[in-house]
Amino acid sequence: MNALTQPDSPQAALAANGEQLQRARDLLQRTLEFVRQQARPWSGSGLSKASDDPYVISRFGDLQIRIEVAAALHERARQRLQQDQDPAEVAVALAEAAIAVGEALLATGNAEFELTGQRSPQPQALHDPLRWKYQLVGNYRLNGALPQGFRSAV
């Protein structure tokens, strides 16, 4: 990994995760407002409001849980970083948070398109792809392999 494939520091990674988490929360809120105020129910549902559709309700429950899990992992990574824990543990916690945040943002963006017919532009995350974070976390948890190229958090 190099400067093009990872944030400059654990603090920068934490900040980037926080920004994406806030984006997911904002996107969820905008989608909720659209469904409450403008969306029409599926014609075959027999419902008078889209917000009464059990599938729409379930979708919002799923999204809320994903965002809350991402927030909890983000907070755990923040605490590990602040407590100057083992740099490998910090790197793995940051990767776990980034995965959860990225997946929550992706799911929220997909739900926005599905439920509103619109898609908000999302910043590209190619500089720090999640596929490598899954491998980092899995290899550390399964094999005890230290993350390659991680920088000291202390």
Side-chain angles (χ1 to χ4, degrees), residues 32-142:
L32 278 167
E33 290 169 7
F34 181 92
V35 169
R36 286 177 184 145
Q37 298 168 6
Q38 298 179 38
R40 291 182 289 177
W42 178 61
S43 60
S45 70
L47 299 170
S48 60
K49 298 185 310 185
S51 60
D52 290 336
D53 186 323
Y55 295 106
V56 172
I57 293 168
S58 293
R59 188 80 161 130
F60 281 108
D62 172 62
L63 295 171
Q64 186 64 46
I65 290 167
R66 287 174 187 255
I67 289 172
E68 292 304 320
V69 167
L73 287 171
H74 178 74
E75 178 59 22
R76 185 183 71 170
R78 185 190 65 74
Q79 288 175 353
R80 287 189 176 170
L81 183 60
Q82 285 182 340
Q83 295 168 356
D84 292 331
Q85 290 191 2
D86 174 29
E89 283 291 330
V90 171
V92 170
L94 287 167
E96 291 169 343
I99 288 168
V101 168
E103 294 291 346
L105 182 56
L106 180 63
T108 306
N110 288 340
E112 175 197 33
F113 183 68
E114 175 188 337
L115 298 171
T116 71
Q118 305 172 72
R119 187 174 295 278
S120 297
Q122 295 297 326
Q124 296 297 321
L126 297 176
H127 66 283
D128 200 14
L130 293 181
R131 65 184 175 274
W132 285 97
K133 294 187 182 309
Y134 281 105
Q135 194 276 341
L136 180 150
V137 171
N139 203 20
Y140 182 74
R141 297 289 182 218
L142 181 62

